[in-house]
Amino acid sequence: MALQDVCKWQVPDTQGLSPHLPEAGGWAVPRGCDPQTFLQIYGPRLAHGTTTLAFRFRHGVIAAADTRSSCGSYVACPASRKVIPVHRHLLGTTSGTSADCVTWYRVLQRELRLRELREGQLPSVAGTAKLLSTMMSRYRGLDLCVATALCGWDHSGPALFYVYSDGTCLQGDIFSVGSGSPYAYGVLDRSYHYDMTIQEAYTLARCAVAHATHRDAYSGGSVDLFHVQESGWEYVSRSDAYMLYMELQKAPGLEQEREPEPEPEPEREPEREQEQEAEVSQVRPGPATPQDAAGGGELFVEPEEVTAEDDGITVKTEMI
Amino acid sequence: MASRYDRAITVFSPDGHLFQVEYAQEAVKKGSTAVGIRGTNIVVLGVEKKSVAKLQDERTVRKICALDDHVCMAFAGIVDNFAGLTADARVVINRARVECQSHKLTVEDPVTVEYITRFIATLKQKYTQSNGRRPFGISALIVGFDDDGIPRLYQTDPSGTYHAWKANAIGRSAKTVREFLEKNYTEEAISNDSEAIKLAIKALLEVVQSAGKNIELAIIRRDQPLKMFSAKEIELQVTEIEKEKEEAEKKKSKKST
């Protein structure tokens, strides 16, 4: 436009992200420091430690998680919600910093809603994962820690994507995220196959999380189980982790479909307050946790992407 | 002087018209005819090819362009300069092609025909409301298949409006062609792929002189990329049409005797 060159006026970009997001890199740190080092040394010790898992199979996508929010050796909340609904056909399991996860999911909900209004339909799960990873990659290097698995059903059927806050976006059949993920992977890899029945899938998910809570100190509480189907997501059950584990020990194997006492809670609207607390105020370094020489940073998040489609890329951006 | 340059070109007249836009639509009426037909399993675009000068290379005059694997467009409008593709259309096509790929990158899905039509229409509308610019002097017919397998045909005009059509024509003699289509566009005419192609050619033959060499034709079938017809293939279709016409006339004369 003629005026643009003279006045340097920019046409507002309505197709891009809403402008309310803070500018990346706009941190007020003391002169001479770069934000990342500054945060590593002086930043708050944020909460980590969890077991979440998600896998897709013929009848949809299963998402399961424990409910313990820990901060060092202190259990900040024994009954938190780590699986967040985004819209009717999309859930996200969250791991990393609870505050970051909740905030970014709200931003994602808003962006998806805007696109739905503009285009007349929601973006696919692939598009959503792309959107989330590009939004977060602008803040790369600023200690954002969100490791999430997006579980949804779109026109291509059940879809599962892993998104990490450095911009990683991977598609796969099984993902487990968190400090308890190695234990969960062991159980999942043993019994997963695409053509499971729904009950087998429920049992497998509960078993995997229960075993992880048994061995991992930072996972525990209860086991939340969600199922995304063609008709939408469903909150299947919340069962106490210890009781679940005891039941499983009595049962001869995973083929047993005996359901431990489920305590189904009514479905909650996504607008309801999250039970997770933002543990930003806890500045105590966790005594039982290994920290790296630079003074600690992300501690318990080990995003593992061991899937059938993985071609050997390992993302380990934090050192332990 | 800066003040003269900044004045908007497209302003309202006292009785509510945007004259520049209407003049642009007049320019469209001078362009060569283009016809689009939406069949059940096929979409067809046919364009009248103006005869080229003796020394000009025919291949550089292309009026049907692919925007992506599953979407293509034809346009009619501002003077066909003999230097090649119409200038205004070239700008629009370029922007549309970039947007198709951009969409794939950010949303992981190919564009729907409606999306890219809306994009082109929005682009055209912007140029009717900016200072220092004039509206695009082209109308476009955009055809393609969406992911759900449904064929679509849209038409945009210089004002930036767009509509979906079952069959439409733009450019010179568009009215005649549209009337022909209204009479002959029946469910059975479009149910068969080859019938739909013949309908497009017949519609163009209404207004094009010395057929065959002066028609450019392209089709998209569901789940298949754009196919441009060669001159030979078009000749074949035209001969078939003429044969059918003869036979129909013979039958008529037989009946009457």
Side-chain angles (χ1 to χ4, degrees):
Chain A
M1 270 166 59
L3 264 184
Q4 251 177 317
D5 299 323
V6 176
C7 310
K8 307 216 185 328
W9 175 71
Q10 293 293 324
V11 177
D13 175 19
T14 49
Q15 294 286 74
L17 295 169
S18 312
H20 318 305
L21 291 175
E23 264 306 309
W27 282 79
V29 294
R31 219 171 300 190
C33 296
D34 75 290
Q36 187 171 13
T37 337
F38 180 78
L39 281 170
Q40 269 182 354
I41 304 170
Y42 302 106
R45 291 288 166 263
L46 305 170
H48 301 280
T50 185
T51 307
T52 67
L53 62 89
F55 56 86
R56 64 182 268 266
F57 68 120
R58 180 173 301 281
H59 302 288
V61 188
I62 298 285
D66 75 312
T67 60
R68 176 177 292 176
S69 271
S70 57
C71 191
S73 59
Y74 167 66
V75 176
C77 176
S80 50
R81 269 279 194 99
K82 298 189 188 179
V83 181
I84 304 180
V86 181
H87 58 74
R88 191 87 199 92
H89 287 87
L90 184 62
L91 294 173
T93 68
T94 61
S95 171
T97 315
S98 341
D100 287 342
C101 290
V102 172
T103 310
W104 281 101
Y105 266 87
R106 294 195 63 175
V107 174
L108 184 65
Q109 279 169 357
R110 181 192 66 199
E111 290 300 322
L112 290 182
R113 180 70 183 131
L114 280 173
R115 276 163 174 71
E116 183 185 10
L117 286 168
R118 273 192 211 124
E119 309 297 330
Q121 63 181 25
L122 284 161
S124 60
V125 183
T128 309
K130 197 59 164 297
L131 180 63
L132 184 61
S133 81
T134 40
M135 282 200 291
M136 292 199 292
S137 67
R138 293 168 62 203
Y139 296 84
R140 194 172 171 164
L142 293 175
D143 249 13
L144 195 60
C145 185
V146 175
T148 172
L150 285 165
C151 323
W153 188 292
D154 59 22
H155 59 83
S156 63
L160 177 58
F161 282 81
Y162 169 73
V163 177
Y164 187 60
S165 46
D166 66 355
T168 306
C169 174
L170 299 170
Q171 183 177 20
D173 285 338
I174 314 176
F175 285 113
S176 178
V177 187
S179 54
S181 62
Y183 313 108
Y185 269 125
V187 175
L188 282 171
D189 289 338
R190 181 83 181 83
S191 314
Y192 168 83
H193 57 100
Y194 187 78
D195 298 302
M196 289 189 284
T197 66
I198 296 180
Q199 285 308 319
E200 281 175 344
Y202 288 171
T203 314
L204 177 61
R206 288 196 191 104
C207 185
V209 181
H211 279 268
T213 59
H214 183 67
R215 283 290 171 183
D216 180 33
Y218 303 97
S219 308
S222 316
V223 177
D224 273 343
L225 182 60
F226 286 75
H227 181 191
V228 187
Q229 302 164 78
E230 199 166 358
S231 53
W233 62 261
E234 187 198 332
Y235 186 6
V236 177
S237 66
R238 168 173 278 207
S239 355
D240 182 79
Y242 178 72
M243 304 293 287
L244 188 52
Y245 185 76
M246 287 295 122
E247 291 283 341
L248 288 168
Q249 290 304 92
K250 286 191 214 146
L254 276 174
E255 296 77 49
Q256 189 90 354
E257 287 182 2
R258 187 157 37 123
E259 276 195 288
E261 304 86 279
E263 298 148 359
E265 298 190 20
E267 282 184 9
R268 298 194 190 164
E269 297 304 317
E271 293 85 19
R272 279 276 203 94
E273 259 176 38
Q274 302 294 334
E275 294 170 20
Q276 290 166 331
E277 302 168 15
E279 281 102 352
V280 179
S281 50
Q282 306 284 355
V283 191
R284 245 184 328 156
T289 64
Q291 300 187 17
D292 72 9
E298 284 57 31
L299 302 176
F300 305 107
V301 178
E302 298 163 358
E304 311 264 357
E305 321 77 57
V306 179
T307 68
E309 284 134 55
D310 186 12
D311 52 359
I313 308 167
T314 335
V315 172
K316 282 224 165 90
T317 56
E318 299 97 29
M319 302 297 291
I320 296 211
Chain B
M1 285 192 303
S3 54
R4 291 194 63 177
Y5 188 39
D6 289 344
R7 193 180 311 143
I9 284 181
T10 315
V11 288
F12 280 108
S13 68
D15 56 349
H17 290 263
L18 285 171
F19 280 126
Q20 282 300 310
V21 174
E22 292 181 10
Y23 299 159
Q25 280 159 346
E26 288 300 314
V28 168
K29 290 192 192 142
K30 293 204 165 50
S32 44
T33 319
V35 71
I37 297 200
R38 184 182 85 191
T40 336
N41 300 312
I42 190 176
V43 285
V44 187
L45 273 180
V47 190
E48 171 198 357
K49 237 185 353 189
K50 284 231 177 87
S51 46
V52 297
K54 229 177 156 184
L55 293 171
Q56 186 178 17
D57 191 340
E58 213 185 87
R59 283 170 301 169
T60 58
V61 187
R62 279 255 172 270
K63 300 201 68 189
I64 301 180
C65 326
L67 297 180
D68 201 348
D69 290 334
H70 60 295
V71 179
C72 75
M73 80 180 241
F75 58 91
I78 261 195
V79 180
D80 294 313
N81 52 3
F82 284 165
L85 213 52
T86 306
D88 277 11
R90 208 172 47 232
V91 171
V92 172
I93 290 168
N94 211 27
R95 297 283 294 269
R97 283 176 174 159
V98 169
E99 179 63 21
C100 282
Q101 297 312 310
S102 212
H103 186 275
K104 246 195 229 172
L105 177 64
T106 50
V107 184
E108 299 272 336
D109 272 334
V111 292
T112 56
V113 186
E114 201 260 340
Y115 178 91
I116 198 64
T117 309
R118 195 160 13 110
F119 174 80
I120 292 172
T122 314
L123 178 66
K124 285 183 177 176
Q125 193 279 338
K126 278 204 195 118
Y127 278 64
T128 68
Q129 223 180 358
S130 311
N131 46 6
R133 295 173 163 178
R134 61 162 174 83
F136 285 105
I138 56 164
S139 278
L141 287 173
I142 300 151
V143 295
F145 279 88
D146 283 341
D147 254 346
D148 52 12
I150 300 183
R152 310 230 188 243
L153 165 65
Y154 286 91
Q155 184 227 344
T156 65
D157 68 358
S159 65
T161 56
Y162 69 96
H163 298 281
W165 290 79
K166 293 182 190 161
N168 199 6
I170 52 177
R172 210 160 45 110
S173 323
K175 208 157 172 245
T176 324
V177 180
R178 211 175 297 132
E179 281 168 6
F180 175 86
L181 286 171
E182 279 174 13
K183 278 199 211 109
N184 292 291
Y185 184 93
T186 58
E187 282 310 312
E188 48 171 272
I190 55 151
S191 56
N192 190 332
D193 284 0
S194 47
E195 287 304 310
I197 297 172
K198 288 215 189 85
L199 182 62
I201 298 181
K202 275 191 230 167
L204 274 176
L205 287 176
E206 293 280 310
V207 295
V208 164
Q209 289 99 4
S210 67
K213 290 217 166 70
N214 291 344
I215 293 181
E216 203 176 302
L217 199 75
I219 60 163
I220 304 186
R221 288 204 169 92
R222 185 176 294 122
D223 294 331
Q224 285 180 31
L226 169 69
K227 176 176 188 307
M228 297 284 304
F229 272 41
S230 66
K232 263 200 219 141
E233 288 170 318
I234 299 178
E235 275 300 330
L236 259 154
Q237 294 282 343
V238 172
T239 3
E240 261 190 58
I241 291 174
E242 283 175 359
K243 236 200 274 172
E244 284 174 9
K245 233 192 201 172
E246 275 180 34
E247 286 176 6
E249 304 230 325
K250 267 197 213 153
K251 272 197 196 151
K252 253 195 199 164
S253 56
K254 261 196 189 164
K255 272 191 186 162
S256 53
T257 51

